[in-house]
Amino acid sequence: MTSIGTGYDLSNSVFSPDGRNFQVEYAVKAVENGGTSIGIRCKDGVVLAVEKVITSKLLKPGANKRIATIDRHMGAVSSGLVPDGRHFVSRAREEASSWRKVYKSPISTSDLASRMGGYLQAYTLYSSVRPFGITAIVAGWDSEVETPVDAQVGNGPSIGSGGKAEGKKYGGPGLYMIEPSGIYWGYYGAATGKGRQTAKAELEKLDLAAGTLSLEDGVKEAARIIYVAHDDNKDKEFELEMTWISNLEGPTKGRHQEVPKELLEEAERLAKKALEGDDDDEETTDKPEDKMEE
Amino acid sequence: MFRNNYDNDSVTFSPQGRIFQVEYASEAVKQGSVVVGIVSKTHAVLVALKRNAEELSSYQKKVFAIDEHLGLSIAGLASDARVLSNFMKQQSLSSRLTYGRAIPLERLVSAIGDRAQTNTQHYGKRPYGVGLLVAGVDETGPHLFEFQPSGMTQEMVACAIGARSQMARTYLERNLDEFAACGKEDLIKHGLRALKESLAQDKELTVENCSVGVVGLGKEEILEPFKLFDGQDVRQWVDLVADGTEGEGGEGGETMEVDT
Amino acid sequence: MNHLPQAWGRPRDDVYGPYDASYLQSSHGPNQHTQSPIVTGTSVIALKFKDGVVIAADNLASYGSLARFTDVKRLRKFADSTVVGFGGDVSDMQYLDRLLISLDTEEAYSSSGHTLNAKNLHTYLAKVFYKRRSDFNPLWNQVLVAGLDGEKKPFLASADLLGTTFTSPSLATGFGAHLAQPLLRKVAPDEEAAAKLTREQAIEAVKESMKVLFYRDARSLDKYSIAVVTKDGIDLKEDEQLEKQSWAFAEGIRGYGTQVN
């Protein structure tokens, strides 16, 4: 690596002569070694999924959750240094609750991403701190209908003028990915961690921009993609953790919750089947080729 | 000699994305004597090997009660552990005062994890040089958590940390399936056997160097508060697993590593 | 020597003269926080029965003697397992409700099955009240907390602006403490009696008490909310109407109707 030995990579917030901040780039390296995390923005909700590599047989199965709730309607997952991920989450929770204190209503996903982008960026500015060793994916559902502000007790007069714009569409699913530099983008499908390349390739096949994928199919795709992305790393066992947020009519009523056990198991079964199917396909297509070459 | 430039503080990433100061802190955990923790469906136990500085001195305390429903054992810098355990005592007490509720273990352990993480991201601080095993019972039953200097906390079925703890972990992995159904007595026996695996060759378990901590649910889900056993109180179990009383022979570890 | 509590710790006026506020920097005398509630809700009443608790409050918020807001929901749910009924200042109620929303959100951070039960919540609210009154800045409410305790048994307790707490098989705040409480006690004089009540009996007793309160309490309304909390959850109705009212008794009241003296 060209950065090593130049001395420009030893402290945070220092530019190299060609305008790079190496400590931020090294933080990204910490992310690239972490378990794969993905998020999918569906028409009626958002899904988060993470591959948890089992580092020890002594770990309690099913415990040690990696996807966190930020506010009732919002969740986050990250790849990289797990304790940094927890720091990210506790700050995000503070942002969400302070937003409620000021505005008496939930923070939107885009506003939270903006706040957290700013927070991570601040950790690239000073030599007294290091950047976050994580890339985080934030998912939320912003209410599509007018909801009462927090602690609203009544509706006031039922007659008289209102101030609502007719026909304007509000709310919907939100999905953002925030990197160690503090940069963030909105996504239809986001992936980070070790298996991100494979996962991204799979996400691109889904044509998410069309906005037709249903939440339940999204859950199944998410499970499959985590399994596919893990495939290169077969020797290590892993646990799949998934959460979702549906619209107000949907199964979670706009709340961030774990995907129910039955659906999770069903999605995992389908994912394994799809993998086996792939292998079969390869075998059947490979065999004639092999013969021809021979 | 090659000089590693990336290990002077905990705010510098190496080109591979590692933080050496944090990794060095986990070496401090391995300097401490071994502690073992196991949970079953009803109980959680902590078993620890105590060290004395010299023949005539007293033994270093390894297991501490935090609240009625939980306790912890330490490996590494005892003074760092005291900072963390004082904090945990405050948190537990505050939960009882504010809500009249025993604090959920996961929350307490996360709180010290978050504190430890801060020490790995700011210049002028250093990571804690101690690993903890936290055992207790809350509304959702018995739990065992491991805490590391990085701020990583994990819920375990069984765990061992400290000097030569790999051998204890191997024992735990081999017997993993039995733990869930164990009662208090069997759990302690497993703990002591795991501890024995990690002993240096010239050492053995005695009433002086063993500590046992137990907490669990008794009949009708009634809490049996965290209780610490030392000295003659552990004889009942130490004798049970003493050499010769069991089929288990001492398999060789590394030779001549004196654990002091 | 004045032994009344309001004189405790004060310099005696007959020895030292009345307190001279002009020594203070501010021209308005000492700093003062809330001295009285502004927009208020009246009674909350509640009764335990064998499987849970029934709790009710009307939907009125008064501004002095003016019936200012008539669709105010004074029963607030917490975590789908507890109902808190608020009497007293409505803006303080809203503050407390937001406090409970944030508490509920924090509880939901971990999905591992921990929740604050009604008993925990009552302890918490009492601490909040006591802290605020000790700062001389009270939250001007009396609340009833209805739900289940740690053993899944019906739980009902009161906490008020002073941080005072108590519990009983039936409870009522405000005017209800005078008018409804005796009626409810007739139905459930003690815990044993309450443990024999059915859901229907409890609802009936509470509705009957709400009616008496509407007859006699000038700051009340015949639109009310009623909730039944059991281990199966909360059944909350927020837009109920008092039925089968009979004002015949009013004819005999001196100063009312035709009989003016």
Side-chain angles (χ1 to χ4, degrees):
Chain A
M1 251 191 246
T2 51
S3 50
I4 300 169
T6 60
Y8 292 108
D9 67 342
L10 293 173
S11 178
N12 192 16
S13 89
V14 169
F15 280 119
S16 74
D18 53 353
R20 294 159 67 181
N21 184 343
F22 287 116
Q23 276 294 307
V24 172
E25 294 184 20
Y26 296 171
V28 172
K29 287 277 186 295
V31 176
E32 290 172 357
N33 298 326
T36 314
S37 308
I38 63 166
I40 302 179
R41 188 174 172 275
C42 308
K43 68 172 178 195
D44 50 353
V46 204
V47 195
L48 289 174
V50 62
E51 166 212 31
K52 292 189 289 187
V53 178
I54 297 173
T55 50
S56 162
K57 275 192 213 166
L58 299 175
L59 282 165
K60 183 173 174 180
N64 302 306
K65 298 287 183 232
R66 284 273 309 281
I67 311 180
T69 300
I70 288 170
D71 200 340
R72 293 178 174 196
H73 63 298
M74 197 176 290
V77 65
S78 59
S79 293
L81 308 179
V82 176
D84 283 22
R86 292 197 47 83
H87 178 183
F88 177 93
V89 166
S90 58
R91 178 63 188 201
R93 286 168 175 174
E94 280 169 26
E95 291 290 352
S97 98
S98 83
W99 182 281
R100 273 191 195 261
K101 279 200 175 69
V102 175
Y103 299 106
K104 314 288 184 242
S105 65
I107 191 170
S108 71
T109 320
S110 60
D111 282 319
L112 186 100
S114 162
R115 293 279 183 102
M116 292 312 293
Y119 189 68
L120 262 59
Q121 191 271 158
Y123 277 78
T124 69
L125 283 177
Y126 310 98
S127 59
S128 56
V129 293
R130 63 168 173 80
F132 278 75
I134 56 157
T135 287
I137 301 174
V138 175
W141 181 271
D142 305 333
S143 174
E144 67 273 40
V145 296
E146 197 176 327
T147 48
V149 297
D150 288 358
Q152 180 176 321
V153 293
N155 295 305
S158 51
I159 50 169
S161 57
K164 258 174 271 175
E166 291 287 326
K168 198 180 165 202
K169 206 172 165 284
Y170 295 93
L175 183 67
Y176 292 81
M177 187 155 76
I178 308 162
E179 298 172 26
S181 63
I183 201 169
Y184 68 95
W185 303 97
Y187 287 85
Y188 292 115
T192 182
K194 195 178 259 168
R196 67 197 174 284
Q197 304 289 10
T198 321
K200 276 179 188 168
E202 290 296 322
L203 285 167
E204 281 164 15
K205 289 182 200 161
L206 294 177
D207 189 24
L208 293 165
T212 49
L213 188 71
S214 75
L215 183 57
E216 204 167 309
D217 289 342
V219 166
K220 287 167 187 164
E221 291 296 349
R224 189 182 60 78
I225 292 171
I226 290 289
Y227 269 83
V228 172
H230 179 81
D231 209 28
D232 312 327
N233 192 11
K234 254 182 181 160
D235 51 324
K236 283 198 178 137
E237 296 211 3
F238 76 102
E239 242 177 42
L240 171 66
E241 181 184 335
M242 285 205 285
T243 64
W244 62 351
I245 311 146
S246 78
N247 62 16
L248 296 177
E249 284 83 52
T252 81
K253 300 189 169 54
R255 280 189 169 231
H256 176 246
Q257 286 172 352
E258 277 173 32
V259 169
K261 200 160 158 266
E262 303 76 46
L263 181 55
L264 182 76
E265 280 167 4
E266 167 74 356
E268 285 197 276
R269 194 181 59 74
L270 291 172
K272 284 177 195 157
K273 206 172 133 193
L275 271 192
E276 283 162 19
D278 275 0
D279 291 347
D280 291 346
D281 288 349
E282 276 163 33
E283 276 164 34
T284 47
T285 50
D286 283 357
K287 269 176 191 165
E289 275 172 37
D290 287 348
K291 271 177 194 164
M292 280 190 357
E293 270 173 60
E294 277 166 35
Chain B
M1 195 188 119
F2 172 71
R3 173 96 177 86
N4 185 347
N5 283 315
Y6 302 99
D7 68 351
N8 289 314
D9 53 55
S10 54
V11 295
T12 309
F13 278 109
S14 81
Q16 292 76 38
R18 293 163 64 181
I19 305 161
F20 283 106
Q21 270 298 306
V22 174
E23 296 184 16
Y24 296 171
S26 19
E27 291 299 316
V29 178
K30 294 178 194 162
Q31 303 280 330
S33 65
V34 63
V35 293
V36 174
I38 317 177
V39 270
S40 72
K41 278 187 184 141
T42 57
H43 287 81
V45 302
L46 296 170
V47 179
L49 182 68
K50 293 185 288 187
R51 280 204 290 233
N52 56 346
E54 51 190 287
E55 195 67 14
L56 294 174
S57 72
S58 64
Y59 286 79
Q60 172 78 48
K61 214 165 176 305
K62 295 284 284 181
V63 185
F64 301 86
I66 296 296
D67 197 344
E68 257 204 351
H69 68 298
L70 78 127
L72 57 76
S73 56
I74 67 167
L77 303 182
S79 38
D80 284 16
R82 201 160 56 240
V83 172
L84 290 169
S85 70
N86 282 343
F87 174 72
M88 291 167 82
K89 285 174 187 174
Q90 282 170 10
Q91 293 287 308
S92 313
L93 236 42
S94 140
S95 172
R96 287 202 187 263
L97 187 67
T98 317
Y99 304 107
R101 172 174 76 163
I103 195 167
L105 258 75
E106 186 192 358
R107 205 175 290 190
L108 185 59
V109 172
S110 298
I112 57 168
D114 292 354
R115 262 182 76 131
Q117 194 279 340
T118 310
N119 290 239
T120 72
Q121 206 172 12
H122 295 267
Y123 188 82
K125 289 175 185 277
R126 64 160 173 83
Y128 290 113
V130 70
L132 305 178
L133 294 182
V134 183
V137 174
D138 61 23
E139 289 165 307
T140 56
H143 300 279
L144 172 71
F145 284 89
E146 181 196 7
F147 161 88
Q148 294 168 232
S150 61
M152 187 77 169
T153 59
Q154 287 173 310
E155 182 163 12
M156 315 293 285
V157 173
C159 191
I161 54 172
R164 302 158 55 88
S165 57
Q166 182 53 51
M167 265 93 78
R169 280 199 296 276
T170 308
Y171 173 89
L172 294 172
E173 280 180 25
R174 262 206 317 267
N175 295 278
L176 195 58
D177 299 333
E178 291 178 31
F179 298 150
C182 281
K184 167 182 149 185
E185 298 292 324
D186 287 338
L187 226 44
I188 295 172
K189 258 190 270 173
H190 276 304
L192 285 170
R193 283 190 204 122
L195 206 61
K196 217 166 88 176
E197 298 280 317
S198 284
L199 287 179
Q201 257 184 352
D202 58 338
K203 297 267 176 169
E204 58 185 59
L205 294 180
T206 66
V207 291
E208 283 81 29
N209 69 12
C210 279
S211 270
V212 175
V214 196
V215 61
L217 293 168
K219 272 183 201 141
E220 290 168 16
E221 308 265 295
I222 302 292
L223 178 74
E224 292 171 359
F226 187 86
K227 193 152 189 260
L228 180 54
F229 298 90
D230 273 310
Q232 291 304 322
D233 294 337
V234 298
R235 179 173 296 285
Q236 43 175 332
W237 301 303
V238 170
D239 288 349
L240 280 178
V241 299
D243 282 328
T245 57
E246 291 191 308
E248 298 246 33
E251 46 264 37
E254 292 132 76
T255 48
M256 288 308 290
E257 194 181 322
V258 181
D259 195 2
T260 47
Chain C
M1 181 71 185
N2 187 352
H3 293 279
L4 293 172
Q6 38 280 47
W8 290 354
R10 287 193 178 185
R12 286 167 56 181
D13 287 0
D14 58 334
V15 176
Y16 300 97
Y19 188 77
D20 182 2
S22 69
Y23 288 107
L24 294 163
Q25 297 288 346
S26 111
S27 56
H28 315 287
N31 277 331
Q32 294 185 337
H33 296 295
T34 315
Q35 298 291 303
S36 61
I38 312 292
V39 177
T40 59
T42 184
S43 323
V44 183
I45 63 172
L47 173 63
K48 283 205 242 183
F49 65 98
K50 68 180 164 75
D51 303 318
V53 189
V54 182
I55 182 168
D58 70 25
N59 292 353
L60 179 68
S62 308
Y63 178 61
S65 59
L66 173 70
R68 180 64 183 85
F69 303 104
T70 55
D71 64 345
V72 170
K73 318 287 191 262
R74 297 194 289 127
L75 299 185
R76 315 301 282 184
K77 280 202 254 190
F78 180 83
D80 292 323
S81 59
T82 303
V83 173
V84 185
F86 289 85
D89 193 272
V90 171
S91 58
D92 285 350
M93 168 181 96
Q94 289 182 291
Y95 169 80
L96 282 169
D97 194 24
R98 282 194 291 270
L99 206 62
L100 295 185
I101 289 173
S102 92
L103 189 63
D104 180 39
T105 308
E106 283 165 31
E107 283 294 309
Y109 286 161
S110 73
S111 51
S112 51
H114 298 286
T115 50
L116 289 169
N117 59 40
K119 197 175 181 184
N120 299 143
L121 196 66
H122 176 256
T123 307
Y124 174 71
L125 283 170
K127 301 285 168 193
V128 173
F129 280 126
Y130 182 68
K131 166 74 169 65
R132 288 292 296 261
R133 89 95 203 234
S134 300
D135 293 343
F136 296 92
N137 190 194
L139 291 163
W140 217 281
N141 301 99
Q142 185 177 0
V143 302
L144 299 187
V145 182
L148 302 171
D149 65 11
E151 273 92 55
K152 305 261 178 249
K153 289 210 291 277
F155 177 87
L156 173 63
S158 152
D160 69 10
L161 69 166
L162 301 174
T164 316
T165 61
F166 48 87
T167 180
S168 167
S170 64
L171 284 172
T173 76
F175 223 116
H178 304 93
L179 290 179
Q181 189 65 269
L183 300 171
L184 295 173
R185 277 194 194 142
K186 239 192 281 182
V187 182
D190 50 29
E191 291 287 351
E192 290 74 42
K196 285 185 190 120
L197 286 180
T198 65
R199 180 190 180 112
E200 289 69 29
Q201 284 171 319
I203 292 174
E204 180 57 30
V206 165
K207 284 188 175 175
E208 209 45 42
S209 301
M210 288 303 286
K211 206 190 295 182
V212 172
L213 283 171
F214 179 57
Y215 289 154
R216 302 287 179 173
D217 179 0
R219 308 284 168 267
S220 69
L221 197 68
D222 55 353
K223 267 165 53 195
Y224 68 103
S225 306
I226 186 164
V228 184
V229 198
T230 60
K231 65 176 186 308
D232 302 323
I234 297 169
D235 178 20
L236 172 64
K237 298 194 187 84
E238 290 187 315
D239 204 14
E240 296 290 279
Q241 174 75 35
L242 280 182
E243 307 204 328
K244 295 188 209 126
Q245 292 176 38
S246 164
W247 288 83
F249 72 93
E251 297 300 319
I253 297 175
R254 188 177 289 273
Y256 185 90
T258 52
Q259 197 180 2
V260 286
N261 9 262

Coordinates of all heavy atoms in Angstrom, one line a residue, chain C residues 4 26 47 57 116 138-139 142 162 174-175 200 224 240 248 250 255:
Chain C
L4 N -49.4 24.3 62.8 CA -49.9 23.9 61.5 C -48.8 23.6 60.6 O -47.8 24.4 60.6 CB -50.9 24.9 60.9 CG -52.2 25.1 61.7 CD1 -53.0 26.3 61.1 CD2 -53.0 23.8 61.6
S26 N -35.3 40.0 42.2 CA -36.4 40.2 41.2 C -37.5 41.1 41.8 O -37.7 41.1 43.0 CB -36.9 38.8 40.9 OG -38.2 38.6 41.4
L47 N -61.9 0.3 39.4 CA -62.4 -0.8 40.3 C -61.7 -2.1 39.8 O -61.7 -2.4 38.6 CB -63.9 -0.9 40.2 CG -64.6 -2.1 40.9 CD1 -64.3 -2.1 42.4 CD2 -66.1 -2.1 40.7
A57 N -63.0 7.7 32.9 CA -62.9 9.1 33.1 C -63.7 9.8 32.0 O -63.8 9.3 30.9 CB -61.4 9.6 33.0
L116 N -42.2 -3.1 31.3 CA -42.6 -2.5 32.7 C -44.0 -2.8 32.9 O -44.9 -2.5 32.1 CB -42.4 -1.0 32.6 CG -40.9 -0.5 32.6 CD1 -40.8 1.0 32.3 CD2 -40.2 -0.8 33.9
P138 N -44.5 21.3 40.9 CA -45.3 20.1 40.8 C -46.0 19.9 39.5 O -46.3 20.9 38.8 CB -46.3 20.2 41.9 CG -46.5 21.7 42.1 CD -45.2 22.3 41.8
L139 N -46.1 18.6 39.1 CA -47.0 18.3 38.0 C -48.4 18.1 38.6 O -48.6 17.3 39.5 CB -46.6 17.0 37.4 CG -45.3 17.1 36.6 CD1 -44.7 15.7 36.4 CD2 -45.4 17.8 35.3
Q142 N -53.5 14.0 39.7 CA -53.6 12.8 40.4 C -53.9 11.7 39.4 O -54.8 11.9 38.5 CB -54.7 12.8 41.5 CG -54.7 11.6 42.3 CD -55.7 11.6 43.5 OE1 -56.4 12.5 43.7 NE2 -55.7 10.4 44.2
L162 N -48.2 15.4 45.0 CA -47.3 15.5 46.1 C -46.3 14.3 46.2 O -45.4 14.3 47.0 CB -48.1 15.5 47.4 CG -49.0 16.7 47.6 CD1 -49.9 16.6 48.8 CD2 -48.3 18.0 47.6
G174 N -60.3 13.3 42.6 CA -61.1 14.5 42.5 C -62.5 14.4 43.2 O -62.6 13.8 44.3
F175 N -63.5 14.9 42.5 CA -64.9 14.8 43.0 C -65.3 13.3 43.2 O -66.0 13.0 44.1 CB -65.8 15.4 42.0 CG -66.9 16.3 42.6 CD1 -66.9 17.7 42.3 CD2 -67.8 15.8 43.4 CE1 -67.8 18.5 42.9 CE2 -68.8 16.6 44.0 CZ -68.8 18.0 43.7
E200 N -68.4 -8.0 34.1 CA -69.7 -7.3 33.9 C -70.1 -6.5 35.1 O -70.5 -5.3 35.0 CB -70.8 -8.3 33.5 CG -70.6 -8.9 32.1 CD -69.5 -9.8 32.0 OE1 -69.1 -10.5 33.0 OE2 -68.9 -9.9 30.9
Y224 N -67.7 9.9 27.9 CA -66.6 9.4 28.7 C -65.8 8.3 28.0 O -66.2 7.7 27.0 CB -67.1 8.9 30.1 CG -68.0 7.7 30.0 CD1 -67.4 6.5 30.4 CD2 -69.3 7.8 29.6 CE1 -68.2 5.3 30.4 CE2 -70.1 6.6 29.6 CZ -69.5 5.4 30.0 OH -70.3 4.3 29.9
E240 N -67.8 7.0 24.7 CA -69.0 6.4 25.2 C -69.9 7.5 25.7 O -69.5 8.7 26.0 CB -68.6 5.6 26.5 CG -67.8 4.3 26.1 CD -68.6 3.3 25.4 OE1 -69.3 2.5 26.0 OE2 -68.5 3.3 24.1
A248 N -85.0 13.1 37.3 CA -86.2 13.3 38.2 C -85.8 13.8 39.6 O -86.5 14.6 40.1 CB -86.9 12.0 38.2
A250 N -83.7 15.8 40.4 CA -83.3 17.2 40.5 C -84.5 18.1 40.9 O -84.3 19.1 41.5 CB -82.8 17.6 39.1
G255 N -83.2 25.3 45.0 CA -82.4 26.2 44.1 C -82.3 25.7 42.7 O -81.7 26.3 41.9

